[in-house]
Amino acid sequence: MKPAQKNICDIVLPIHNGLTYVKDCIESLIQHTPAAQYPIYIIDDASDSTTSDYLNKQETLHSQIILRRNPNNLGFLKSCNIGIYLGTAPYVVLVNSDVIATPCWLERLIECMESDPKIATVNPLTNSAAQIDLSMPPGANFFAVDEYLEQHSPKHWPDIVTGVGFCLLLRRAALEEVGVFDEIYGRGYCEESDLCMRLTARGYRTVIADHVYVYHKGGGTFSDSDERYRRNRRLFDSRWAREYKRQFRAFQKADPLAESRALFSLPRRWDPMPVIWQTARALLDGWQEKAFLLMALNVVRGLRRLPKAKRELATPASVTILTRPNRLRVTYLLHHLVISGGVLSVIQLVNELILLGVEARIVALYEDPAVYAWSKLFTRPIIFCNEQELVQNCPDSDIIVATLWNTVPWAVEVAKQNRAKHTVYFIQDYEPWFFPDSDAKKREQVKSTYGQIKHHVVMSDWLNDLLMQDGFSATKIALGMDLGRFYPRSVPRSQPIVLAMARPGTPRRGYPSTIAALCQLKKLMPEVEIVLFGDRFLSYRTIPFSYRDEGIVFDQNRLATLYSEADVFLDGSDFQGFGRCALEAMACGTACVLTEVGGVMEYARNGENALLVPPRKPSAFVAGIKAILDDEALKNRLVEGGLATAEQYCHKREADETLAYFLRLSQQ
């Protein structure tokens, strides 16, 4: 039964897929919003079956959820209007599905609204929202920023030009006066600006509740944003350009959020690396497309940005200020914050630990700016310019975690300085084998780092056994992956597809065997489409068969789609510490052919959820792929077994087990 009490505010949450964001959003709304007076109207805008099933379950579990499903995808704007009309409370708040709420968020937004009857819209502050965003300081998470703002914000409720729709509280009486979103804006963008301009033209105010902070991924809900924004911006300007520009110039001059931003200001140093990374990536893209004029323009743009390329300098004191008291403090050390499976494992763990109440952080020497578009980050990583600065300024921690052999000395030194109570080595692969047999000295150097830290965590029994052979013990916590991202997508197929990871520049990934096998397969079954991913420069190599090159897949939704459309996924690696890609493919309903060595043996069972073949045996690879393509019953059995296996490897389970391990360790 739905709540019978008089509602204060209706929450409207439009959803179209994006399950990884949806889960976190709904869980945060349930956790941080009292059920009795704040019903949640979820508008399922024709999501896929997996997302819809999840939403149906949430409606059953939570009395405050009222679920409405659109039979066709109407878009964000129309879904918002539907949700507004469903409720009758004096206030209504629109929430994007890539938002995560904080404690008492809505009560505080309403406090701001009720301070002046002329206020018609209220936004919280957030990490990503155009001109009203406020970046998390290095080392802080969004919960800590919210708590600090609640305690120290000036609470001036500053006026802004237009509200932003990611999390927008509206006064229903004002909507009844000027109308809801104008559906001429189609599927969204600029509709909230248009509404706010109509409201301010009637004498209403649109303001910021500068004592509230929520997380917003940004870019997590629209896939055609650039084209749609340009169209809608032209429409908006045809109505409001002159008045909007006047108000925006006044907003910039007044800088009403300066006082809030000053609460988090830190000294800055010059750091050219992000600009260099972005410029280099743009040059590589231009080179591949032979767009030489564009390459020259990108060089000029990069050179112009370099003088202003500065980074905030975090210190133990600045991090402590934004550390919530009486909470476990965990710091993960990364050498490079770049796009890779190992880094993703760390980011996922840190994010989930933060949701579990831990003050978890990431510290690294440098970062690839593309990481922020690639993955959710619930904290702002601390980036230092060299090892000495890192060791001197690493934040105080209860537990500090090395993640690669070359980060072990940092963890040890920080602990020696009494700024970390416990050290842990999170080992994701057997690192001595990163180096060839001929470099025995380097292998022994890497192996020696295992003895410098007492506590070890591994992902697989295979890796645990190798450590035991070296004389070290470890705790096994199996890898987790985001099952809200990796699940079967409905993708039409016109021909058999074999997907394979092809990374010629990475040792142990079995590139020569993979290419040899696919060459044989193409001769035997020319109707098969071969899709390769994992390398930016694959097209410059001689590959003796036709294939589709997906390059490096930054968008994990795209990766899930590639898995889903494939009949077979081939991982021909010589060995892997765990084998994340194969497990992702299983989760997406793809039959797998895998090499029978390394961490993949943690979950792969020959004939049950995969076909296992010897490494470096292309003919065995081909036999496995052909068996699946020729036998629909075998394929279906492997798919069902893979889906059941993947369910056991959720990233939230991994985080729960990791937290339990850290709590046991902290009590020693």
Side-chain angles (χ1 to χ4, degrees):
M1 179 176 291
K2 302 307 175 186
Q5 295 92 335
K6 183 177 180 181
N7 299 327
I8 296 174
C9 180
D10 301 316
I11 301 171
V12 174
L13 177 59
I15 290 171
H16 176 68
N17 298 330
L19 186 56
T20 181
Y21 305 112
V22 168
K23 287 183 173 181
D24 287 338
C25 180
I26 291 178
E27 288 172 13
S28 74
L29 294 177
I30 297 297
Q31 181 179 359
H32 299 305
T33 313
Q37 296 174 314
Y38 303 103
I40 303 172
Y41 293 93
I42 295 179
I43 314 301
D44 180 3
D45 195 20
S47 298
D48 60 40
S49 59
T50 302
T51 304
S52 292
D53 289 346
Y54 171 80
L55 296 178
N56 288 331
K57 182 178 180 180
Q58 296 308 302
E59 183 184 35
T60 301
L61 292 173
H62 303 291
S63 61
Q64 67 266 51
I65 290 180
I66 301 97
L67 178 62
R68 162 78 176 265
R69 179 172 173 84
N70 296 338
N72 301 303
N73 179 225
L74 302 179
F76 178 79
L77 187 156
K78 290 184 179 181
S79 294
C80 283
N81 284 346
I82 290 170
I84 291 171
Y85 285 128
L86 286 175
T88 58
Y91 306 119
V92 55
V93 61
L94 309 176
V95 181
N96 276 18
S97 59
D98 59 350
V99 164
I100 301 179
T102 46
C104 300
W105 68 287
L106 190 47
E107 293 93 327
R108 288 181 284 152
L109 290 179
I110 292 172
E111 174 194 3
C112 173
M113 177 75 83
E114 293 185 339
S115 68
D116 181 356
K118 299 306 291 182
I119 295 177
T121 80
V122 181
N123 273 128
L125 290 167
T126 188
N127 56 294
S128 176
Q131 72 271 15
I132 65 169
D133 61 8
L134 190 158
S135 296
M136 291 179 278
N141 62 67
F142 69 94
F143 285 117
V145 173
D146 175 67
E147 187 172 291
Y148 192 83
L149 280 170
E150 184 178 14
Q151 296 170 359
H152 298 92
S153 168
K155 298 183 182 179
H156 288 164
W157 323 139
D159 289 85
I160 57 175
V161 182
T162 65
V164 184
F166 74 99
C167 180
L168 185 63
L169 178 65
L170 299 162
R171 187 183 296 273
R172 191 176 291 275
L175 291 180
E176 291 171 351
E177 185 176 336
V178 305
V180 293
F181 292 134
D182 190 339
E183 295 185 2
I184 196 172
Y185 287 97
R187 293 183 175 272
Y189 276 133
C190 299
E191 75 280 355
E192 73 268 52
S193 297
D194 181 89
L195 174 60
C196 289
M197 293 301 290
R198 283 186 275 138
L199 288 165
T200 54
R202 293 288 187 95
Y204 285 105
R205 296 174 62 196
T206 179
V207 306
I208 290 289
D210 53 0
H211 65 324
V212 188
Y213 194 89
V214 302
Y215 174 83
H216 179 218
K217 171 63 175 72
T221 53
F222 291 151
S223 59
D224 59 343
S225 56
D226 291 343
E227 178 183 347
R228 180 152 25 121
Y229 175 78
R230 287 192 294 269
R231 173 198 173 274
N232 285 0
R233 183 57 193 260
R234 288 193 296 269
L235 177 59
F236 175 82
D237 286 343
S238 70
R239 295 178 172 184
W240 303 105
R242 180 177 297 179
E243 178 60 18
Y244 178 81
K245 288 178 182 178
R246 184 191 69 79
Q247 291 187 27
F248 192 72
R249 283 194 294 267
F251 169 80
Q252 288 181 307
K253 184 176 181 180
D255 196 8
L257 298 180
E259 195 169 351
S260 295
R261 291 178 173 139
L263 293 171
F264 305 101
S265 66
L266 291 171
R268 292 172 171 264
R269 64 170 171 81
W270 186 59
D271 181 8
M273 285 307 301
V275 173
I276 292 172
W277 272 89
Q278 290 170 324
T279 304
R281 180 171 288 111
L283 289 176
L284 289 173
D285 291 341
W287 178 264
Q288 286 185 298
E289 297 171 6
K290 302 192 183 310
F292 301 115
L293 178 58
L294 182 61
M295 291 173 64
L297 289 173
N298 283 324
V299 169
V300 172
R301 290 168 184 160
L303 290 172
R304 287 178 176 174
R305 291 172 58 202
L306 275 177
K308 296 181 180 180
K310 295 185 177 181
R311 181 183 298 281
E312 294 157 305
L313 180 60
T315 65
S318 71
V319 175
T320 297
I321 290 172
L322 288 168
T323 298
R324 292 171 294 170
N326 304 316
R327 293 175 183 268
L328 186 69
R329 301 166 300 170
V330 179
T331 300
Y332 281 81
L333 301 176
L334 288 171
H335 197 274
H336 309 125
L337 182 59
V338 296
I339 295 174
S340 72
V343 170
L344 179 60
S345 292
V346 172
I347 290 174
Q348 282 185 169
L349 271 173
V350 168
N351 283 345
E352 293 304 316
L353 289 172
I354 288 170
L355 293 180
L356 291 170
V358 177
E359 289 293 297
R361 308 182 181 94
I362 294 173
V363 168
L365 283 188
Y366 60 85
E367 67 182 5
D368 178 354
V371 163
Y372 294 93
W374 171 59
S375 178
K376 300 179 278 191
L377 278 162
F378 296 163
T379 180
R380 176 98 172 273
I382 306 172
I383 309 299
F384 294 110
C385 64
N386 55 53
E387 295 180 18
Q388 181 181 5
E389 183 184 81
L390 184 150
V391 170
Q392 289 176 347
N393 291 284
C394 193
D396 296 338
S397 308
D398 297 300
I399 297 170
I400 193 163
V401 186
T403 60
L404 196 64
W405 66 272
N406 51 13
T407 67
V408 169
W410 309 346
V412 171
E413 186 60 33
V414 171
K416 283 182 180 178
Q417 297 180 14
N418 296 318
R419 297 211 314 280
K421 297 178 183 178
H422 302 278
T423 54
V424 174
Y425 194 169
F426 180 39
I427 305 172
Q428 301 188 62
D429 212 332
Y430 191 61
E431 297 166 8
W433 289 359
F434 287 5
F435 302 92
D437 294 340
S438 58
D439 197 349
K441 182 178 180 181
K442 193 67 176 181
R443 283 192 168 194
E444 286 303 314
Q445 179 187 352
V446 174
K447 192 181 296 184
S448 70
T449 62
Y450 295 147
Q452 296 177 33
I453 289 180
K454 179 180 178 181
H455 305 286
H456 308 93
V457 173
V458 296
M459 292 180 170
S460 65
D461 288 327
W462 171 80
L463 191 49
N464 196 19
D465 290 342
L466 286 172
L467 285 179
M468 289 179 64
Q469 292 172 24
D470 292 334
F472 305 106
S473 61
T475 297
K476 189 191 85 171
I477 301 175
L479 173 143
M481 60 181 174
D482 187 348
L483 297 176
R485 182 83 76 181
F486 294 102
Y487 61 86
R489 312 298 174 97
S490 179
V491 183
R493 294 182 179 133
S494 58
Q495 63 187 111
I497 295 177
V498 174
L499 175 69
M501 180 176 59
R503 294 170 61 181
T506 305
R508 312 177 310 281
R509 291 297 177 250
Y511 174 77
S513 302
T514 297
I515 296 302
L518 294 175
C519 184
Q520 293 179 31
L521 178 71
K522 194 68 175 174
K523 291 177 181 177
L524 289 171
M525 305 180 75
E527 73 277 12
V528 171
E529 180 182 10
I530 294 173
V531 181
L532 302 177
F533 75 97
D535 188 85
R536 186 183 291 273
F537 297 108
L538 207 59
S539 60
Y540 291 95
R541 293 181 174 267
T542 300
I543 296 179
F545 53 83
S546 60
Y547 67 97
R548 172 162 39 111
D549 182 11
E550 289 287 338
I552 298 176
V553 185
F554 296 109
D555 183 348
Q556 292 184 74
N557 279 316
R558 175 59 183 162
L559 183 57
T561 300
L562 290 175
Y563 288 134
S564 297
E565 73 178 8
D567 295 274
V568 181
F569 171 69
L570 169 66
D571 187 340
S573 297
D574 298 340
F575 81 93
Q576 293 203 56
F578 190 86
R580 171 187 289 274
C581 288
L583 201 57
E584 291 171 349
M586 287 182 182
C588 294
T590 309
C592 295
V593 174
L594 312 172
T595 49
E596 54 186 3
V597 63
V600 70
M601 301 303 293
E602 183 74 16
Y603 58 86
R605 301 290 179 266
N606 188 42
E608 296 180 15
N609 58 13
L611 293 186
L612 300 179
V613 296
R616 303 188 184 94
K617 299 289 184 182
S619 59
F621 295 5
V622 174
I625 296 170
K626 194 171 184 304
I628 293 172
L629 294 177
D630 288 342
D631 188 340
E632 191 71 17
L634 171 64
K635 175 185 170 184
N636 291 337
R637 185 171 75 246
L638 297 180
V639 167
E640 291 302 315
L643 289 170
T645 298
E647 285 294 324
Q648 304 170 36
Y649 290 90
C650 176
H651 67 310
K652 291 186 179 293
R653 185 269 316 152
E654 181 188 14
D656 288 338
E657 293 182 15
T658 300
L659 177 55
Y661 171 76
F662 285 159
L663 289 174
R664 291 195 302 270
L665 186 60
S666 66
Q667 292 166 3
Q668 294 180 7

